[in-house]
Amino acid sequence: MKTVLMVAEKPSLAQSIAKILSRGNMSSRKGLNGACSVHEYTGSFIGQSAHFKMTSVCGHVMTLDFIGKYNSWDKVDPAELFSKAPTEKKEANPKLTMVKFLQVEGRGCDCIVLWLDCDKEGENICFEVLDAVLPVMNKPRSNERTIYRAKFSSITDTDICNAMNHLGEPNRNEALSVDARQELDLRIGCAFTRFQTKYFQGKYGNLDSSLISFGPCQTPTLGFCVERHDKIQSFKPETYWVLQAKVNPEKESSLTLDWDRVRVFDREIAQMFLNITKMAKEAKVESVSKKEKVKQRPLALNTVEMLRVASAALGMGPQHAMQIAERLYTQGYISYPRTETTHYPENFDLKGCLRQQANNPYWAETVKALLSEGINRPRKGHDAGDHPPITPMRAATEAELGGDGWRLYEYITRHFIATVSADCKYLQTTISFSIGPEWFTCIGKVVTSPGFTEIMPWHSIPLEESLPHCEKGDLFPIGEIKLLEKQTSPPDYLTEAELITLMEKHGIGTDASIPVHINNICQRNYVTVESGRRLKPTNLGIVLVHGYYKIDAELVLPTIRSAVEKQLNLIALGKANYHQVLEHTLDIFKRKFHYFVDSIAGMDELMEVSFSPLAATGKPLSRCGKCHRFMKYIQAKPSRLHCSHCDDTYSLPQNGTIKLYKELRCPLDDFELVLWSSGSRGKSYPLCPYCYNHPPFRDMKKGMGCNECTHPTCQHSLSMLGIGQCVECENGVLVLDSTSGPKWKMACNKCNVIVHFFENAHKVRVSPETCDLCDAALVDVDFNKAKSPLPGDETQHSGCVFCDPVFQDLVELKHAAMRHPMHRGGQGKRQGRGRGKGRRPGGRLNPKKPKDKMAALAAYFV
């Protein structure tokens, strides 16, 4: 019996697909990485009985990055990143050990069926999965096919079974186009970002952004927002005059007429027209025309239109809307939400999708009427050859989906029903009047057939007062004629919906990446989202775009990126060579980068106007070890110290507070130490600003504080304050926080583990002696007589934090507050390790197993 491995893009999809294919008759187990499950069942595969193993990945398996040494911002010239710096594929999320998981499940399998999402990114992930799995699968017999690709657009029984019966092959060209985009964005983005971030952060102190990023798509996106801002700023309002007339067809009613000239910009001429028309006593009907007009039903829904409506009508940001749509798709409520197509294929089961909605109280009547009277064929839209338009695949209730999920689902369903409804028809009556020599018009609309506006009421024709019945030559008394003075108004800031339209029109990004680019410019503090989801550029965003325009407008105009997108699409179609496109595009941007670096003074002039130089920012904090003058602490992100005398800037740990540390100095370079703290419930440690940026010892890296310094005699170093190996992570050491008294604690110098101990102790010191059992450093504790928890009113005790029974109830393990969400705690599986191991250079190897207290301590958190 053959074994067939099947891989989906997300765990929830794998479960849904396996459930459909096995008809619910499957066994499930957790995979070794804990994130993905494996669903097994027996069935037939290409006419033979087979054992199926259905599992998944979690998005991309691999990510592209530069090799290690080229990730150092300080040692690498950004210009080298265009061609000289080699790249490598690394695991996208090393914690998931996805490659190892796939190899364990793939070992001994005969065939693989790829159920990744059917778009370019999905094709790329197909080949990432194949690279991991093929080496461990059974070798095929000659010419035997072992790799299959399933093509599907929704998680329904029909679609999944149909995909299983018509398996194809993965598309290498589409995967290559994604590789090309990844490499271009990495090389171009990193080179410009590193250069401008280092250049401007070294000069200005109040930039309000820790990263001044550049992106081939991100920057033109910002350009659209700034272009609108510039139009608003340069707008000069003009006064104009409008003639407004009212006629009284009946005694009680009045009709407002619109002037055919619309408006005039000269007051005297406007006054002349007013005087002429005031001489007339009656308005004469010159013509009456009636015309039946049609408001067309919408085209089928694609991603860009869904994101536009979500932002404009539902108040959801594009990134948020896309996440909700993906969740609805994986749960089987809607078809695949990433599509450029607005045309249903001929064989699409429109009636089947409509029947699913026949019992929903919100639109049941409309759906039943459509099914009995017959549906209208949807309008012919654009067929991009990817997925069908976004369609509801099964019925849902507000209680099932809740909140934003329901609001988006409701819109998608209403839009779908509208596409198969009739057009809206209305009768438009236009009456032309003459008052003296001037002509005026009045228009009225009456709906004859509401059509699709019943299900999409926001598109309905507004109710108006009905026009009087009249014929050519009729005369009506004039109620009033007056002159209205008005002013032209500037455009408003771009809404997200308008920005999405501009990005689509100019070919910036894809339906999948547009939300990411908009989210990026918000995250980087280049724009802020105002009421009505309008995007207002910040000072930094404006200066950057103006600087690009001044140096090289093509860096911010959409033209060059649009041309690159077309080249990438040609790779996907197999009409362009991957290496040639990559080489050509990188060569263009490399030349632009060198010109940008040479001309940076142009952007500098704009920066000087808006931002303060480092020397004028911040407040004096600690002394420089070189000139012994005070350095200024700049609190704005990224927080740093700047010595204006030496013109040196020193980066500091982020997301915490910095203060002077008892005016103590580093024994190596004479810089005054500062204390970083993440709050009373978190970690704190001292650091030397110079050592933090220029590691003094080989075994230290940039960004290490005194709690990781291996100086043999400094009183603040790891060598003097380290107690023992961390109870959770592999390489961390628990270090005494000597500033934490009377609520004493030791904290891991690698992860977020904190051990609280000896509360209210007068003094806690790390002894040079070590524990015989676990090799951890012993601790000397002095208590006040009144508050001593020690037996027999003792005030002093020396012992091991982990093994000493006297200290048994005085130690409590916690996790630091304010930790980064990515820093997950361990699972408590390494209970009973030697905690002293690696504490000091020259410490004993192979420490003995500690007593139960240590195992209990490690298990405390679990």
Side-chain angles (χ1 to χ4, degrees), residues 714-733:
C714 174
Q715 60 180 351
H716 317 291
S717 72
L718 169 68
S719 308
M720 301 303 282
L721 295 177
I723 292 175
Q725 187 176 321
C726 176
V727 294
E728 284 203 5
C729 69
E730 287 285 352
N731 305 316
V733 176

Side-chain angles (χ1 to χ4, degrees), residues 217-256:
C217 287
Q218 172 194 304
T219 306
T221 305
L222 174 61
F224 291 130
C225 300
V226 175
E227 186 184 359
R228 176 61 65 89
H229 168 83
D230 291 343
K231 280 181 184 171
I232 294 167
Q233 295 302 308
S234 60
F235 185 84
K236 289 186 173 64
E238 283 186 88
T239 306
Y240 64 91
W241 288 265
V242 175
L243 210 54
Q244 190 186 71
K246 285 187 180 177
V247 295
N248 299 330
E250 293 163 17
K251 279 185 181 178
E252 296 298 316
S253 66
S254 73
L255 204 60
T256 304

Side-chain angles (χ1 to χ4, degrees), residues 59 456 500 575 748 764:
M456 294 176 102
I500 291 165
K575 294 178 181 176
C748 176
V764 176

Side-chain angles (χ1 to χ4, degrees), residues 595-751:
Y595 182 72
F596 180 72
V597 171
D598 294 341
S599 314
I600 194 69
M603 194 185 272
D604 223 2
E605 288 167 13
L606 298 172
M607 285 278 189
E608 281 171 0
V609 176
S610 301
F611 301 103
S612 312
L614 278 175
T617 319
K619 55 184 184 185
L621 180 73
S622 66
R623 288 184 187 274
C624 168
K626 296 177 185 177
C627 64
H628 298 288
R629 288 177 169 85
F630 276 104
M631 296 190 291
K632 284 189 170 178
Y633 172 46
I634 295 148
Q635 235 170 327
K637 277 191 173 181
S639 55
R640 53 213 190 275
L641 285 167
H642 177 70
C643 176
S644 51
H645 184 263
C646 305
D647 196 20
D648 284 331
T649 306
Y650 301 97
S651 57
L652 295 168
Q654 303 299 305
N655 305 322
T657 56
I658 293 279
K659 56 187 180 186
L660 193 61
Y661 185 51
K662 306 177 186 173
E663 295 186 4
L664 296 167
R665 293 177 182 269
C666 174
L668 294 169
D669 47 48
D670 217 27
F671 273 71
E672 279 189 336
L673 302 182
V674 293
L675 184 74
W676 177 85
S677 171
S678 66
S680 58
R681 291 170 57 214
K683 288 164 67 168
S684 58
Y685 58 83
L687 63 109
C688 161
Y690 190 82
C691 296
Y692 187 82
N693 290 272
H694 306 94
F697 303 113
R698 269 189 195 167
D699 52 356
M700 287 178 67
K701 290 179 186 169
K702 188 176 175 181
M704 288 185 166
C706 296
N707 62 347
E708 293 184 77
C709 176
T710 49
H711 191 293
T713 58
C714 174
Q715 60 180 351
H716 317 291
S717 72
L718 169 68
S719 308
M720 301 303 282
L721 295 177
I723 292 175
Q725 187 176 321
C726 176
V727 294
E728 284 203 5
C729 69
E730 287 285 352
N731 305 316
V733 176
L734 293 166
V735 181
L736 174 67
D737 182 350
S738 52
T739 64
S740 57
K743 295 188 174 180
W744 298 93
K745 61 190 173 191
M746 57 179 175
C748 176
N749 59 9
K750 296 282 189 218
C751 71

